[in-house]
Amino acid sequence: MMRHNTGYNAARYQRFDGVILTIKKNHSSYQIMTVFTLQQGWFRVFLNTSRKHRNQGIGSLSALSIITFDAWERGGSLTLGEYECVVNTLISYLTVESYAYAQICIEMVLHLIPEKAADRNVYGLLCRYSKLVGEKNERILTVITGWQLVALAGFCPDIDTVHIYRKGITDTGRPVYYLSEEPEPALPAVMLPLSVQQLWKTILAYDW
């Protein structure tokens, strides 16, 4: 159980439940943690890494760890207080390729979900991802999680009625496709097979 640090102004004290996304060094005695919380979505918190603050929590802080923490507002910024962190130790055994997939998932969260936009479903999805990294195939896990993130962010057309069009090719010769909820007569249409529609629905509803 965490202790309340009475050295701070209690009026500015807040408690959060979250999943750590990134930790980056900002100063010799400070780091910045980006965390997605149940209460306020994702935001950044300052970590004081000076010697006198090193023993303020339980568990090492690392990406994709689940954390409960106190934060204290100082000059408009949040500083980490006491915390309890549950680390998925399997993450340290990931190959470079597998770790890259985990980073892709984190980047998708930061680019698809606005800062401080609380979303219980996104939080739950990240908690599951954190617990399954190292147990499941990271490529499949990240692909499914990525599609679900896209849908939770609002980028999900009606699968039964969506229109798909071919819109040129890339420099490497790969076709570019365009999805629209409205007919686009000027573009060549592409039929979406029923099997693909069903697979799409299965991925969005998949529950590990």
Side-chain angles (χ1 to χ4, degrees), residues 3-52:
R3 305 180 306 277
H4 286 203
N5 192 327
T6 57
Y8 294 93
N9 186 341
R12 297 183 177 182
Y13 153 83
Q14 298 178 71
R15 171 70 58 84
F16 296 99
D17 304 290
V19 178
I20 298 174
L21 300 179
T22 65
I23 297 180
K24 296 182 179 180
K25 188 173 182 178
N26 184 57
H27 186 270
S28 60
S29 61
Y30 279 93
Q31 292 179 327
I32 298 177
M33 178 177 71
T34 304
V35 57
F36 194 101
T37 67
L38 173 64
Q39 293 80 6
Q40 293 187 18
W42 72 266
F43 54 82
R44 296 179 176 87
V45 182
F46 282 97
L47 315 181
N48 190 331
T49 57
S50 61
R51 182 175 299 177
K52 67 178 181 179

mmCIF file of all heavy atoms in Angstrom, residues 3-52:
data_model
loop_
_atom_site.group_PDB
_atom_site.id
_atom_site.type_symbol
_atom_site.label_atom_id
_atom_site.label_comp_id
_atom_site.label_asym_id
_atom_site.label_seq_id
_atom_site.Cartn_x
_atom_site.Cartn_y
_atom_site.Cartn_z
ATOM 1 N N ARG A 3 2.042 5.041 0.760
ATOM 2 C CA ARG A 3 1.894 6.006 1.829
ATOM 3 C C ARG A 3 1.664 7.380 1.224
ATOM 4 O O ARG A 3 2.201 7.700 0.160
ATOM 5 C CB ARG A 3 3.155 6.046 2.701
ATOM 6 C CG ARG A 3 3.545 4.712 3.264
ATOM 7 C CD ARG A 3 4.806 4.858 4.106
ATOM 8 N NE ARG A 3 5.880 5.486 3.369
ATOM 9 C CZ ARG A 3 6.682 4.838 2.544
ATOM 10 N NH1 ARG A 3 6.504 3.554 2.317
ATOM 11 N NH2 ARG A 3 7.675 5.464 1.923
ATOM 12 N N HIS A 4 0.890 8.198 1.882
ATOM 13 C CA HIS A 4 0.671 9.562 1.428
ATOM 14 C C HIS A 4 1.834 10.422 1.885
ATOM 15 O O HIS A 4 2.150 10.502 3.068
ATOM 16 C CB HIS A 4 -0.644 10.118 1.979
ATOM 17 C CG HIS A 4 -1.839 9.534 1.307
ATOM 18 N ND1 HIS A 4 -3.054 10.145 1.275
ATOM 19 C CD2 HIS A 4 -1.992 8.366 0.606
ATOM 20 C CE1 HIS A 4 -3.919 9.398 0.619
ATOM 21 N NE2 HIS A 4 -3.297 8.317 0.204
ATOM 22 N N ASN A 5 2.484 11.077 0.948
ATOM 23 C CA ASN A 5 3.619 11.937 1.263
ATOM 24 C C ASN A 5 3.086 13.279 1.759
ATOM 25 O O ASN A 5 2.510 14.054 1.005
ATOM 26 C CB ASN A 5 4.478 12.135 0.015
ATOM 27 C CG ASN A 5 5.801 12.778 0.350
ATOM 28 O OD1 ASN A 5 5.894 13.586 1.257
ATOM 29 N ND2 ASN A 5 6.826 12.412 -0.401
ATOM 30 N N THR A 6 3.258 13.557 3.009
ATOM 31 C CA THR A 6 2.704 14.772 3.601
ATOM 32 C C THR A 6 3.547 15.999 3.317
ATOM 33 O O THR A 6 3.228 17.102 3.745
ATOM 34 C CB THR A 6 2.558 14.600 5.125
ATOM 35 O OG1 THR A 6 3.847 14.277 5.663
ATOM 36 C CG2 THR A 6 1.573 13.496 5.448
ATOM 37 N N GLY A 7 4.648 15.834 2.577
ATOM 38 C CA GLY A 7 5.500 16.975 2.259
ATOM 39 C C GLY A 7 4.978 17.818 1.125
ATOM 40 O O GLY A 7 5.556 18.831 0.772
ATOM 41 N N TYR A 8 3.872 17.411 0.505
ATOM 42 C CA TYR A 8 3.296 18.147 -0.610
ATOM 43 C C TYR A 8 1.965 18.744 -0.203
ATOM 44 O O TYR A 8 1.314 18.323 0.751
ATOM 45 C CB TYR A 8 3.092 17.235 -1.813
ATOM 46 C CG TYR A 8 4.378 16.731 -2.411
ATOM 47 C CD1 TYR A 8 4.909 15.501 -2.002
ATOM 48 C CD2 TYR A 8 5.055 17.453 -3.364
ATOM 49 C CE1 TYR A 8 6.085 15.025 -2.544
ATOM 50 C CE2 TYR A 8 6.234 16.986 -3.927
ATOM 51 C CZ TYR A 8 6.736 15.781 -3.508
ATOM 52 O OH TYR A 8 7.894 15.308 -4.046
ATOM 53 N N ASN A 9 1.526 19.707 -0.962
ATOM 54 C CA ASN A 9 0.230 20.328 -0.743
ATOM 55 C C ASN A 9 -0.866 19.345 -1.117
ATOM 56 O O ASN A 9 -0.997 18.975 -2.279
ATOM 57 C CB ASN A 9 0.126 21.591 -1.613
ATOM 58 C CG ASN A 9 -1.149 22.371 -1.330
ATOM 59 O OD1 ASN A 9 -2.103 21.840 -0.782
ATOM 60 N ND2 ASN A 9 -1.140 23.630 -1.711
ATOM 61 N N ALA A 10 -1.638 18.896 -0.130
ATOM 62 C CA ALA A 10 -2.642 17.871 -0.386
ATOM 63 C C ALA A 10 -3.680 18.322 -1.399
ATOM 64 O O ALA A 10 -4.292 17.513 -2.084
ATOM 65 C CB ALA A 10 -3.326 17.474 0.928
ATOM 66 N N ALA A 11 -3.918 19.614 -1.535
ATOM 67 C CA ALA A 11 -4.907 20.112 -2.480
ATOM 68 C C ALA A 11 -4.497 19.830 -3.918
ATOM 69 O O ALA A 11 -5.323 19.800 -4.817
ATOM 70 C CB ALA A 11 -5.112 21.614 -2.284
ATOM 71 N N ARG A 12 -3.206 19.614 -4.150
ATOM 72 C CA ARG A 12 -2.727 19.362 -5.510
ATOM 73 C C ARG A 12 -2.395 17.890 -5.752
ATOM 74 O O ARG A 12 -1.862 17.542 -6.786
ATOM 75 C CB ARG A 12 -1.488 20.210 -5.783
ATOM 76 C CG ARG A 12 -1.774 21.703 -5.739
ATOM 77 C CD ARG A 12 -0.547 22.513 -6.077
ATOM 78 N NE ARG A 12 -0.828 23.935 -6.104
ATOM 79 C CZ ARG A 12 0.067 24.868 -6.417
ATOM 80 N NH1 ARG A 12 1.314 24.506 -6.696
ATOM 81 N NH2 ARG A 12 -0.260 26.137 -6.431
ATOM 82 N N TYR A 13 -2.720 17.062 -4.820
ATOM 83 C CA TYR A 13 -2.421 15.629 -4.911
ATOM 84 C C TYR A 13 -3.453 14.916 -5.788
ATOM 85 O O TYR A 13 -4.655 15.194 -5.704
ATOM 86 C CB TYR A 13 -2.416 15.047 -3.507
ATOM 87 C CG TYR A 13 -2.752 13.582 -3.427
ATOM 88 C CD1 TYR A 13 -1.782 12.626 -3.655
ATOM 89 C CD2 TYR A 13 -4.036 13.166 -3.107
ATOM 90 C CE1 TYR A 13 -2.086 11.276 -3.572
ATOM 91 C CE2 TYR A 13 -4.357 11.825 -3.022
ATOM 92 C CZ TYR A 13 -3.371 10.891 -3.260
ATOM 93 O OH TYR A 13 -3.673 9.563 -3.183
ATOM 94 N N GLN A 14 -2.999 14.017 -6.649
ATOM 95 C CA GLN A 14 -3.895 13.218 -7.467
ATOM 96 C C GLN A 14 -3.390 11.777 -7.508
ATOM 97 O O GLN A 14 -2.194 11.537 -7.437
ATOM 98 C CB GLN A 14 -3.970 13.762 -8.899
ATOM 99 C CG GLN A 14 -4.519 15.175 -8.998
ATOM 100 C CD GLN A 14 -4.524 15.679 -10.428
ATOM 101 O OE1 GLN A 14 -5.308 15.222 -11.254
ATOM 102 N NE2 GLN A 14 -3.643 16.611 -10.737
ATOM 103 N N ARG A 15 -4.316 10.837 -7.644
ATOM 104 C CA ARG A 15 -3.983 9.418 -7.730
ATOM 105 C C ARG A 15 -4.390 8.894 -9.109
ATOM 106 O O ARG A 15 -5.471 9.189 -9.606
ATOM 107 C CB ARG A 15 -4.723 8.647 -6.630
ATOM 108 C CG ARG A 15 -4.640 7.136 -6.718
ATOM 109 C CD ARG A 15 -3.245 6.621 -6.395
ATOM 110 N NE ARG A 15 -2.816 7.019 -5.084
ATOM 111 C CZ ARG A 15 -3.124 6.368 -3.948
ATOM 112 N NH1 ARG A 15 -3.902 5.315 -3.982
ATOM 113 N NH2 ARG A 15 -2.655 6.796 -2.793
ATOM 114 N N PHE A 16 -3.513 8.123 -9.746
ATOM 115 C CA PHE A 16 -3.776 7.627 -11.089
ATOM 116 C C PHE A 16 -3.478 6.135 -11.194
ATOM 117 O O PHE A 16 -2.621 5.607 -10.487
ATOM 118 C CB PHE A 16 -2.902 8.362 -12.118
ATOM 119 C CG PHE A 16 -3.172 9.833 -12.232
ATOM 120 C CD1 PHE A 16 -2.362 10.758 -11.581
ATOM 121 C CD2 PHE A 16 -4.242 10.303 -12.990
ATOM 122 C CE1 PHE A 16 -2.603 12.114 -11.687
ATOM 123 C CE2 PHE A 16 -4.483 11.651 -13.105
ATOM 124 C CZ PHE A 16 -3.660 12.568 -12.456
ATOM 125 N N ASP A 17 -4.187 5.486 -12.117
ATOM 126 C CA ASP A 17 -3.892 4.119 -12.531
ATOM 127 C C ASP A 17 -3.523 4.183 -14.005
ATOM 128 O O ASP A 17 -4.274 4.757 -14.805
ATOM 129 C CB ASP A 17 -5.110 3.212 -12.355
ATOM 130 C CG ASP A 17 -5.633 3.242 -10.937
ATOM 131 O OD1 ASP A 17 -4.940 2.719 -10.052
ATOM 132 O OD2 ASP A 17 -6.730 3.794 -10.720
ATOM 133 N N GLY A 18 -2.367 3.619 -14.383
ATOM 134 C CA GLY A 18 -1.957 3.781 -15.767
ATOM 135 C C GLY A 18 -1.053 2.686 -16.289
ATOM 136 O O GLY A 18 -0.679 1.740 -15.588
ATOM 137 N N VAL A 19 -0.721 2.843 -17.572
ATOM 138 C CA VAL A 19 0.250 1.990 -18.258
ATOM 139 C C VAL A 19 1.342 2.910 -18.796
ATOM 140 O O VAL A 19 1.049 3.878 -19.513
ATOM 141 C CB VAL A 19 -0.400 1.213 -19.418
ATOM 142 C CG1 VAL A 19 0.646 0.367 -20.143
ATOM 143 C CG2 VAL A 19 -1.545 0.348 -18.923
ATOM 144 N N ILE A 20 2.581 2.637 -18.434
ATOM 145 C CA ILE A 20 3.685 3.478 -18.886
ATOM 146 C C ILE A 20 3.910 3.272 -20.382
ATOM 147 O O ILE A 20 4.006 2.139 -20.856
ATOM 148 C CB ILE A 20 4.981 3.149 -18.115
ATOM 149 C CG1 ILE A 20 4.787 3.422 -16.617
ATOM 150 C CG2 ILE A 20 6.155 3.961 -18.651
ATOM 151 C CD1 ILE A 20 5.967 2.981 -15.762
ATOM 152 N N LEU A 21 4.008 4.378 -21.125
ATOM 153 C CA LEU A 21 4.281 4.307 -22.552
ATOM 154 C C LEU A 21 5.760 4.534 -22.847
ATOM 155 O O LEU A 21 6.391 3.738 -23.540
ATOM 156 C CB LEU A 21 3.419 5.331 -23.304
ATOM 157 C CG LEU A 21 1.894 5.172 -23.155
ATOM 158 C CD1 LEU A 21 1.168 6.256 -23.923
ATOM 159 C CD2 LEU A 21 1.443 3.787 -23.621
ATOM 160 N N THR A 22 6.315 5.614 -22.330
ATOM 161 C CA THR A 22 7.737 5.906 -22.565
ATOM 162 C C THR A 22 8.340 6.564 -21.326
ATOM 163 O O THR A 22 7.632 7.170 -20.526
ATOM 164 C CB THR A 22 7.942 6.864 -23.764
ATOM 165 O OG1 THR A 22 7.359 8.147 -23.457
ATOM 166 C CG2 THR A 22 7.319 6.317 -25.033
ATOM 167 N N ILE A 23 9.660 6.438 -21.205
ATOM 168 C CA ILE A 23 10.432 7.168 -20.199
ATOM 169 C C ILE A 23 11.663 7.720 -20.898
ATOM 170 O O ILE A 23 12.433 6.972 -21.496
ATOM 171 C CB ILE A 23 10.843 6.274 -19.021
ATOM 172 C CG1 ILE A 23 9.599 5.770 -18.273
ATOM 173 C CG2 ILE A 23 11.751 7.035 -18.057
ATOM 174 C CD1 ILE A 23 9.911 4.871 -17.092
ATOM 175 N N LYS A 24 11.822 9.038 -20.841
ATOM 176 C CA LYS A 24 12.945 9.676 -21.531
ATOM 177 C C LYS A 24 13.685 10.607 -20.583
ATOM 178 O O LYS A 24 13.076 11.276 -19.747
ATOM 179 C CB LYS A 24 12.440 10.472 -22.740
ATOM 180 C CG LYS A 24 11.807 9.590 -23.810
ATOM 181 C CD LYS A 24 11.364 10.398 -25.016
ATOM 182 C CE LYS A 24 10.766 9.492 -26.083
ATOM 183 N NZ LYS A 24 10.320 10.253 -27.279
ATOM 184 N N LYS A 25 14.999 10.644 -20.735
ATOM 185 C CA LYS A 25 15.832 11.494 -19.900
ATOM 186 C C LYS A 25 15.691 12.945 -20.341
ATOM 187 O O LYS A 25 15.761 13.255 -21.528
ATOM 188 C CB LYS A 25 17.290 11.053 -19.993
ATOM 189 C CG LYS A 25 18.208 11.757 -19.017
ATOM 190 C CD LYS A 25 19.602 11.159 -19.043
ATOM 191 C CE LYS A 25 20.509 11.825 -18.020
ATOM 192 N NZ LYS A 25 21.866 11.218 -18.014
ATOM 193 N N ASN A 26 15.501 13.838 -19.383
ATOM 194 C CA ASN A 26 15.354 15.253 -19.682
ATOM 195 C C ASN A 26 16.468 16.086 -19.054
ATOM 196 O O ASN A 26 16.849 17.121 -19.564
ATOM 197 C CB ASN A 26 13.997 15.751 -19.173
ATOM 198 C CG ASN A 26 13.730 17.194 -19.529
ATOM 199 O OD1 ASN A 26 13.758 17.558 -20.691
ATOM 200 N ND2 ASN A 26 13.480 18.021 -18.512
ATOM 201 N N HIS A 27 17.018 15.604 -17.923
ATOM 202 C CA HIS A 27 18.015 16.347 -17.159
ATOM 203 C C HIS A 27 18.773 15.338 -16.317
ATOM 204 O O HIS A 27 18.333 14.206 -16.144
ATOM 205 C CB HIS A 27 17.316 17.406 -16.287
ATOM 206 C CG HIS A 27 18.245 18.327 -15.566
ATOM 207 N ND1 HIS A 27 18.720 18.050 -14.316
ATOM 208 C CD2 HIS A 27 18.783 19.515 -15.930
ATOM 209 C CE1 HIS A 27 19.520 19.038 -13.926
ATOM 210 N NE2 HIS A 27 19.571 19.935 -14.889
ATOM 211 N N SER A 28 19.887 15.723 -15.796
ATOM 212 C CA SER A 28 20.691 14.789 -15.001
ATOM 213 C C SER A 28 19.917 14.221 -13.815
ATOM 214 O O SER A 28 20.171 13.098 -13.385
ATOM 215 C CB SER A 28 21.971 15.475 -14.520
ATOM 216 O OG SER A 28 21.659 16.606 -13.722
ATOM 217 N N SER A 29 18.984 14.987 -13.273
ATOM 218 C CA SER A 29 18.222 14.505 -12.116
ATOM 219 C C SER A 29 16.733 14.356 -12.410
ATOM 220 O O SER A 29 15.948 14.132 -11.497
ATOM 221 C CB SER A 29 18.413 15.454 -10.928
ATOM 222 O OG SER A 29 17.948 16.752 -11.241
ATOM 223 N N TYR A 30 16.325 14.473 -13.699
ATOM 224 C CA TYR A 30 14.915 14.351 -14.053
ATOM 225 C C TYR A 30 14.740 13.495 -15.299
ATOM 226 O O TYR A 30 15.575 13.501 -16.206
ATOM 227 C CB TYR A 30 14.274 15.721 -14.306
ATOM 228 C CG TYR A 30 13.878 16.453 -13.042
ATOM 229 C CD1 TYR A 30 14.753 17.359 -12.452
ATOM 230 C CD2 TYR A 30 12.645 16.240 -12.439
ATOM 231 C CE1 TYR A 30 14.406 18.032 -11.289
ATOM 232 C CE2 TYR A 30 12.287 16.907 -11.281
ATOM 233 C CZ TYR A 30 13.171 17.800 -10.710
ATOM 234 O OH TYR A 30 12.825 18.455 -9.557
ATOM 235 N N GLN A 31 13.642 12.752 -15.324
ATOM 236 C CA GLN A 31 13.199 12.045 -16.519
ATOM 237 C C GLN A 31 11.744 12.408 -16.752
ATOM 238 O O GLN A 31 11.066 12.939 -15.858
ATOM 239 C CB GLN A 31 13.342 10.530 -16.338
ATOM 240 C CG GLN A 31 14.774 10.051 -16.255
ATOM 241 C CD GLN A 31 14.863 8.546 -16.057
ATOM 242 O OE1 GLN A 31 14.010 7.932 -15.419
ATOM 243 N NE2 GLN A 31 15.909 7.953 -16.601
ATOM 244 N N ILE A 32 11.261 12.134 -17.956
ATOM 245 C CA ILE A 32 9.858 12.395 -18.278
ATOM 246 C C ILE A 32 9.187 11.075 -18.620
ATOM 247 O O ILE A 32 9.630 10.355 -19.512
ATOM 248 C CB ILE A 32 9.725 13.374 -19.460
ATOM 249 C CG1 ILE A 32 10.336 14.724 -19.102
ATOM 250 C CG2 ILE A 32 8.246 13.554 -19.826
ATOM 251 C CD1 ILE A 32 10.304 15.727 -20.240
ATOM 252 N N MET A 33 8.137 10.757 -17.906
ATOM 253 C CA MET A 33 7.371 9.543 -18.153
ATOM 254 C C MET A 33 6.067 9.907 -18.854
ATOM 255 O O MET A 33 5.334 10.779 -18.401
ATOM 256 C CB MET A 33 7.058 8.832 -16.828
ATOM 257 C CG MET A 33 6.209 7.578 -16.976
ATOM 258 S SD MET A 33 5.940 6.705 -15.398
ATOM 259 C CE MET A 33 4.814 7.843 -14.549
ATOM 260 N N THR A 34 5.800 9.246 -19.964
ATOM 261 C CA THR A 34 4.508 9.376 -20.631
ATOM 262 C C THR A 34 3.686 8.161 -20.253
ATOM 263 O O THR A 34 4.135 7.018 -20.417
ATOM 264 C CB THR A 34 4.670 9.444 -22.160
ATOM 265 O OG1 THR A 34 5.560 10.522 -22.496
ATOM 266 C CG2 THR A 34 3.337 9.707 -22.829
ATOM 267 N N VAL A 35 2.497 8.386 -19.732
ATOM 268 C CA VAL A 35 1.688 7.295 -19.197
ATOM 269 C C VAL A 35 0.237 7.468 -19.634
ATOM 270 O O VAL A 35 -0.275 8.592 -19.683
ATOM 271 C CB VAL A 35 1.801 7.261 -17.643
ATOM 272 C CG1 VAL A 35 1.386 8.575 -17.027
ATOM 273 C CG2 VAL A 35 0.989 6.118 -17.049
ATOM 274 N N PHE A 36 -0.403 6.360 -19.995
ATOM 275 C CA PHE A 36 -1.831 6.397 -20.325
ATOM 276 C C PHE A 36 -2.596 5.977 -19.079
ATOM 277 O O PHE A 36 -2.450 4.845 -18.601
ATOM 278 C CB PHE A 36 -2.165 5.461 -21.479
ATOM 279 C CG PHE A 36 -3.537 5.716 -22.056
ATOM 280 C CD1 PHE A 36 -3.679 6.441 -23.222
ATOM 281 C CD2 PHE A 36 -4.679 5.258 -21.410
ATOM 282 C CE1 PHE A 36 -4.944 6.712 -23.742
ATOM 283 C CE2 PHE A 36 -5.946 5.519 -21.908
ATOM 284 C CZ PHE A 36 -6.079 6.246 -23.084
ATOM 285 N N THR A 37 -3.427 6.884 -18.558
ATOM 286 C CA THR A 37 -4.138 6.618 -17.317
ATOM 287 C C THR A 37 -5.622 6.388 -17.547
ATOM 288 O O THR A 37 -6.205 6.874 -18.526
ATOM 289 C CB THR A 37 -3.979 7.786 -16.329
ATOM 290 O OG1 THR A 37 -4.643 8.948 -16.851
ATOM 291 C CG2 THR A 37 -2.506 8.098 -16.098
ATOM 292 N N LEU A 38 -6.213 5.661 -16.637
ATOM 293 C CA LEU A 38 -7.652 5.438 -16.671
ATOM 294 C C LEU A 38 -8.387 6.750 -16.470
ATOM 295 O O LEU A 38 -9.422 6.999 -17.086
ATOM 296 C CB LEU A 38 -8.032 4.440 -15.568
ATOM 297 C CG LEU A 38 -9.525 4.201 -15.330
ATOM 298 C CD1 LEU A 38 -10.172 3.572 -16.551
ATOM 299 C CD2 LEU A 38 -9.724 3.299 -14.104
ATOM 300 N N GLN A 39 -7.854 7.605 -15.629
ATOM 301 C CA GLN A 39 -8.569 8.813 -15.230
ATOM 302 C C GLN A 39 -8.491 9.954 -16.253
ATOM 303 O O GLN A 39 -9.468 10.677 -16.455
ATOM 304 C CB GLN A 39 -8.025 9.324 -13.890
ATOM 305 C CG GLN A 39 -8.306 8.417 -12.707
ATOM 306 C CD GLN A 39 -7.350 7.227 -12.611
ATOM 307 O OE1 GLN A 39 -6.381 7.126 -13.374
ATOM 308 N NE2 GLN A 39 -7.613 6.334 -11.665
ATOM 309 N N GLN A 40 -7.330 10.120 -16.908
ATOM 310 C CA GLN A 40 -7.156 11.294 -17.776
ATOM 311 C C GLN A 40 -6.494 10.988 -19.117
ATOM 312 O O GLN A 40 -6.013 11.895 -19.784
ATOM 313 C CB GLN A 40 -6.337 12.370 -17.046
ATOM 314 C CG GLN A 40 -7.039 12.997 -15.860
ATOM 315 C CD GLN A 40 -6.249 14.163 -15.279
ATOM 316 O OE1 GLN A 40 -5.362 14.727 -15.909
ATOM 317 N NE2 GLN A 40 -6.584 14.546 -14.056
ATOM 318 N N GLY A 41 -6.472 9.748 -19.539
ATOM 319 C CA GLY A 41 -5.801 9.448 -20.798
ATOM 320 C C GLY A 41 -4.296 9.594 -20.640
ATOM 321 O O GLY A 41 -3.762 9.431 -19.551
ATOM 322 N N TRP A 42 -3.601 9.941 -21.735
ATOM 323 C CA TRP A 42 -2.142 10.004 -21.633
ATOM 324 C C TRP A 42 -1.653 11.429 -21.395
ATOM 325 O O TRP A 42 -2.221 12.398 -21.879
ATOM 326 C CB TRP A 42 -1.463 9.383 -22.849
ATOM 327 C CG TRP A 42 -1.528 10.137 -24.151
ATOM 328 C CD1 TRP A 42 -2.456 9.980 -25.151
ATOM 329 C CD2 TRP A 42 -0.619 11.146 -24.607
ATOM 330 N NE1 TRP A 42 -2.179 10.830 -26.187
ATOM 331 C CE2 TRP A 42 -1.063 11.557 -25.895
ATOM 332 C CE3 TRP A 42 0.515 11.748 -24.063
ATOM 333 C CZ2 TRP A 42 -0.402 12.531 -26.642
ATOM 334 C CZ3 TRP A 42 1.166 12.726 -24.803
ATOM 335 C CH2 TRP A 42 0.713 13.108 -26.073
ATOM 336 N N PHE A 43 -0.599 11.517 -20.610
ATOM 337 C CA PHE A 43 0.049 12.799 -20.327
ATOM 338 C C PHE A 43 1.454 12.517 -19.831
ATOM 339 O O PHE A 43 1.867 11.359 -19.674
ATOM 340 C CB PHE A 43 -0.744 13.623 -19.304
ATOM 341 C CG PHE A 43 -1.033 12.891 -18.016
ATOM 342 C CD1 PHE A 43 -0.089 12.801 -17.002
ATOM 343 C CD2 PHE A 43 -2.268 12.296 -17.812
ATOM 344 C CE1 PHE A 43 -0.349 12.136 -15.824
ATOM 345 C CE2 PHE A 43 -2.552 11.617 -16.637
ATOM 346 C CZ PHE A 43 -1.590 11.534 -15.635
ATOM 347 N N ARG A 44 2.213 13.562 -19.588
ATOM 348 C CA ARG A 44 3.612 13.415 -19.167
ATOM 349 C C ARG A 44 3.784 13.792 -17.703
ATOM 350 O O ARG A 44 3.135 14.722 -17.220
ATOM 351 C CB ARG A 44 4.523 14.264 -20.058
ATOM 352 C CG ARG A 44 4.518 13.809 -21.515
ATOM 353 C CD ARG A 44 5.401 14.685 -22.395
ATOM 354 N NE ARG A 44 5.461 14.169 -23.763
ATOM 355 C CZ ARG A 44 4.579 14.480 -24.716
ATOM 356 N NH1 ARG A 44 3.585 15.316 -24.435
ATOM 357 N NH2 ARG A 44 4.685 13.974 -25.926
ATOM 358 N N VAL A 45 4.678 13.079 -17.039
ATOM 359 C CA VAL A 45 4.954 13.301 -15.622
ATOM 360 C C VAL A 45 6.470 13.392 -15.438
ATOM 361 O O VAL A 45 7.223 12.593 -16.001
ATOM 362 C CB VAL A 45 4.411 12.132 -14.762
ATOM 363 C CG1 VAL A 45 4.653 12.401 -13.281
ATOM 364 C CG2 VAL A 45 2.940 11.909 -15.033
ATOM 365 N N PHE A 46 6.911 14.352 -14.644
ATOM 366 C CA PHE A 46 8.335 14.467 -14.335
ATOM 367 C C PHE A 46 8.713 13.462 -13.251
ATOM 368 O O PHE A 46 7.984 13.278 -12.277
ATOM 369 C CB PHE A 46 8.673 15.885 -13.854
ATOM 370 C CG PHE A 46 8.774 16.888 -14.969
ATOM 371 C CD1 PHE A 46 7.704 17.691 -15.293
ATOM 372 C CD2 PHE A 46 9.953 17.016 -15.703
ATOM 373 C CE1 PHE A 46 7.787 18.607 -16.329
ATOM 374 C CE2 PHE A 46 10.048 17.933 -16.740
ATOM 375 C CZ PHE A 46 8.965 18.731 -17.054
ATOM 376 N N LEU A 47 9.877 12.821 -13.431
ATOM 377 C CA LEU A 47 10.411 11.912 -12.431
ATOM 378 C C LEU A 47 11.681 12.519 -11.872
ATOM 379 O O LEU A 47 12.616 12.824 -12.622
ATOM 380 C CB LEU A 47 10.749 10.549 -13.044
ATOM 381 C CG LEU A 47 9.741 9.905 -13.994
ATOM 382 C CD1 LEU A 47 10.278 8.561 -14.463
ATOM 383 C CD2 LEU A 47 8.402 9.729 -13.309
ATOM 384 N N ASN A 48 11.739 12.686 -10.565
ATOM 385 C CA ASN A 48 12.952 13.174 -9.923
ATOM 386 C C ASN A 48 13.830 11.976 -9.597
ATOM 387 O O ASN A 48 13.487 11.150 -8.764
ATOM 388 C CB ASN A 48 12.606 13.947 -8.653
ATOM 389 C CG ASN A 48 13.795 14.691 -8.081
ATOM 390 O OD1 ASN A 48 14.937 14.275 -8.257
ATOM 391 N ND2 ASN A 48 13.540 15.788 -7.393
ATOM 392 N N THR A 49 14.970 11.867 -10.284
ATOM 393 C CA THR A 49 15.847 10.700 -10.112
ATOM 394 C C THR A 49 17.032 10.978 -9.194
ATOM 395 O O THR A 49 17.977 10.193 -9.145
ATOM 396 C CB THR A 49 16.374 10.236 -11.481
ATOM 397 O OG1 THR A 49 17.056 11.325 -12.120
ATOM 398 C CG2 THR A 49 15.229 9.774 -12.363
ATOM 399 N N SER A 50 16.988 12.090 -8.474
ATOM 400 C CA SER A 50 18.069 12.370 -7.532
ATOM 401 C C SER A 50 18.061 11.329 -6.417
ATOM 402 O O SER A 50 17.059 10.658 -6.165
ATOM 403 C CB SER A 50 17.915 13.773 -6.935
ATOM 404 O OG SER A 50 16.708 13.880 -6.223
ATOM 405 N N ARG A 51 19.168 11.178 -5.728
ATOM 406 C CA ARG A 51 19.343 10.095 -4.755
ATOM 407 C C ARG A 51 18.251 10.078 -3.690
ATOM 408 O O ARG A 51 17.748 9.018 -3.320
ATOM 409 C CB ARG A 51 20.720 10.212 -4.100
ATOM 410 C CG ARG A 51 21.031 9.113 -3.105
ATOM 411 C CD ARG A 51 22.451 9.231 -2.592
ATOM 412 N NE ARG A 51 23.413 9.101 -3.706
ATOM 413 C CZ ARG A 51 24.720 9.232 -3.547
ATOM 414 N NH1 ARG A 51 25.219 9.503 -2.350
ATOM 415 N NH2 ARG A 51 25.529 9.101 -4.584
ATOM 416 N N LYS A 52 17.851 11.223 -3.203
ATOM 417 C CA LYS A 52 16.888 11.246 -2.095
ATOM 418 C C LYS A 52 15.478 10.852 -2.522
ATOM 419 O O LYS A 52 14.611 10.622 -1.686
ATOM 420 C CB LYS A 52 16.865 12.628 -1.439
ATOM 421 C CG LYS A 52 16.308 13.737 -2.324
ATOM 422 C CD LYS A 52 16.280 15.047 -1.564
ATOM 423 C CE LYS A 52 15.714 16.185 -2.408
ATOM 424 N NZ LYS A 52 15.667 17.456 -1.659
#
